[in-house]
Amino acid sequence: MARVPVAQRRWQLIEATIALLSREGVGAASIRRISEEADVPLGLVHYCFASKQELIAETIRQLNTENTTAARAALSVPADAGTDLRSALTAAFRAYWSLVERSPRRQLLTYELNAYALRDKELAPIAEQAHRELLTNVRVLLDEIATATGRQWTVPLDDVARLVVTVTGGATLNWLNDRDSTAALTTANLVVGALDALAT
């Protein structure tokens, strides 16, 4: 039997962790359950990762990378968005919302892992870094939208990005509770109107 490189095994175990926790929640995060999910010997998990915390840390990094990559692809200015700020913001939010609806379990896992990490001094910096990256991505998108529509933000872009992250995060959590996409899009329309007033 061919020897599987450690890097490949680590990736396999991270994917198994994401699959398990997406399905059953962070409470299922034990080395034994993860080894069963990956269908590998328990000792192999200990060989690839020094501790459960290291495996969870790498899982958080991988999930954040996936979410950032997918969100950045979705949160672009669609070619048919129109030339006005409202249309472009609405199109970007709808693209993001499509991502949310396609991956509800992963969205929920993101919240769970964030809360879990913030309670652990070893993992907290990873959660904080992920949040900074999210703010940066939203800030870049907002700058792109303003440039594409010939508008300028009248308040600091960092503040606009924080507002968008706050609202979309809250809207996502609301949707995970009630699955009411119509209400989420109504919220988006209200926010788009507020954002439009913050640009000249």
Side-chain angles (χ1 to χ4, degrees):
M1 180 181 294
R3 184 181 179 87
V4 177
V6 173
Q8 187 175 335
R9 282 295 191 195
R10 284 171 63 91
W11 178 84
Q12 177 189 4
L13 290 166
I14 289 167
E15 286 297 303
T17 303
I18 291 173
L20 175 65
L21 302 190
S22 292
R23 193 173 64 247
E24 299 185 24
V26 175
S30 73
I31 295 297
R32 182 172 299 280
R33 292 295 310 282
I34 291 166
S35 71
E36 292 170 355
E37 181 75 22
D39 195 24
V40 300
L42 187 62
L44 184 60
V45 183
H46 291 292
Y47 176 74
C48 292
F49 294 95
S51 66
K52 184 180 86 169
Q53 291 301 84
E54 183 190 355
L55 174 52
I56 294 296
E58 291 304 316
T59 298
I60 292 171
R61 288 192 181 98
Q62 177 63 23
L63 190 61
N64 287 337
T65 297
E66 290 180 10
N67 284 344
T68 298
T69 300
R72 193 66 193 92
L75 291 176
S76 58
V77 184
D80 60 350
T83 56
D84 65 287
L85 187 69
R86 280 178 178 259
S87 295
L89 288 170
T90 299
F93 185 87
R94 287 180 181 273
Y96 164 75
W97 204 251
S98 176
L99 172 65
V100 171
E101 291 183 325
R102 287 197 311 271
S103 56
R105 287 185 174 180
R106 286 198 172 211
Q107 299 301 322
L108 180 57
L109 180 57
T110 299
Y111 283 97
E112 288 183 289
L113 283 175
N114 185 72
Y116 179 84
L118 288 174
R119 292 181 180 275
D120 184 291
K121 68 178 182 179
E122 181 182 338
L123 298 176
I126 297 168
E128 292 160 5
Q129 179 185 353
H131 184 66
R132 286 193 298 272
E133 290 173 356
L134 173 60
L135 285 169
T136 296
N137 286 330
V138 171
R139 185 169 60 245
V140 169
L141 174 65
L142 289 168
D143 189 43
E144 289 176 359
I145 288 177
T147 299
T149 58
R151 302 282 295 277
Q152 289 185 333
W153 298 107
T154 60
V155 295
L157 191 52
D158 284 347
D159 294 340
V160 185
R162 183 171 288 276
L163 173 62
V164 170
V165 168
T166 299
V167 171
T168 54
T172 302
L173 188 56
N174 280 337
W175 182 82
L176 287 170
N177 279 287
D178 61 24
R179 303 301 169 102
D180 189 341
S181 294
T182 300
L185 294 175
T186 297
T187 298
N189 289 335
L190 292 172
V191 174
V192 164
L195 291 172
D196 188 51
L198 296 177
T200 184

